[in-house]
């Protein structure tokens, strides 16, 4: 899995690209190995106190694959795959989903909703961590 980079990739999301890549790659690895994905994603995000996002990423990745009609390909080491880059681009601008999804309007709408929901949940989770509301 990718190391979490300190560089922030978007002020709106206020989280690092590395954290998102770690969650995506953990999800892909668990799915490929026939394991439950949410516990893996939970552990990955817990290192950043963002474990509440585990079901959000599970849902986003599942919907993204369904909309794309294929499995998402994970990158290696510190290098994101074109699928990971596309998903991050879509998180930054949900309208980008139209570029990566087929012609079925329902797929585009569902993916757009999942992307916007993920953005909202990420913003809420990061805000909660930074203000101490999610302290355990």
């Amino acid at each position: 899995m990718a190391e979490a980079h300190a560089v922030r990739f978007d002020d709106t999301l206020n989280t690092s690209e590395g954290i998102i890549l770690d969650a995506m790659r953990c999800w892909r690895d668990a799915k490929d190995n026939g394991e439950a994905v949410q516990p893996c994603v939970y552990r990955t995000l817990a290192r950043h106190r963002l474990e509440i996002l585990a079901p959000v990423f599970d849902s986003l990745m599942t919907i993204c694959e369904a909309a794309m009609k294929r499995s998402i390909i994970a990158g290696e080491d510190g290098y994101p795959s074109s699928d990971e880059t596309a998903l991050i681009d879509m998180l930054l601008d949900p309208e980008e989903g139209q570029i990566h999804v087929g012609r079925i309007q329902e797929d585009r709408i569902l993916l757009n909703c999942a992307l916007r929901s993920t953005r909202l949940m990420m913003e809420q989770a990061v805000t909660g961590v930074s203000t101490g509301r999610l302290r355990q």
Side-chain angles (χ1 to χ4, degrees):
M1 282 187 260
E3 290 288 323
H5 305 289
V7 178
R8 295 197 185 275
F9 78 104
D10 182 69
D11 291 335
T12 304
L13 297 179
N14 201 28
T15 199
S16 77
E17 181 177 343
I19 294 169
I20 294 170
L21 287 173
D22 284 348
M24 285 194 265
R25 289 178 183 177
C26 174
W27 184 91
R28 174 83 273 146
D29 288 343
K31 190 161 173 107
D32 287 348
N33 293 317
E35 300 169 3
V37 296
Q38 284 193 23
C40 177
V41 176
Y42 180 94
R43 287 188 300 274
T44 298
L45 294 172
R47 294 181 289 204
H48 308 284
R49 297 181 54 212
L50 296 171
E51 60 272 16
I52 196 167
L53 295 174
V56 174
F57 273 99
D58 181 19
S59 178
L60 175 64
M61 298 292 287
T62 301
I63 290 169
C64 189
E65 282 195 339
M68 293 172 71
K69 308 282 190 251
R70 63 178 179 79
S71 297
I72 292 172
I73 298 169
E76 294 181 12
D77 302 320
Y79 302 100
S81 69
S82 60
D83 286 345
E84 290 169 336
T85 299
L87 189 50
I88 288 170
D89 288 347
M90 288 187 281
L91 277 170
L92 293 173
D93 180 6
E95 297 303 319
E96 287 282 318
Q98 294 182 20
I99 296 168
H100 303 285
V101 178
R103 298 184 185 269
I104 301 172
Q105 183 176 4
E106 291 83 10
D107 289 343
R108 289 193 308 268
I109 291 169
L110 181 60
L111 180 58
N112 189 287
C113 288
L115 290 162
R116 290 178 187 281
S117 176
T118 301
R119 283 180 58 93
L120 177 65
M121 293 300 293
M122 288 174 67
E123 290 165 10
Q124 293 297 311
V126 170
T127 300
V129 168
S130 66
T131 61
R133 287 186 294 182
L134 298 178
R135 290 201 177 139
Q136 298 175 353

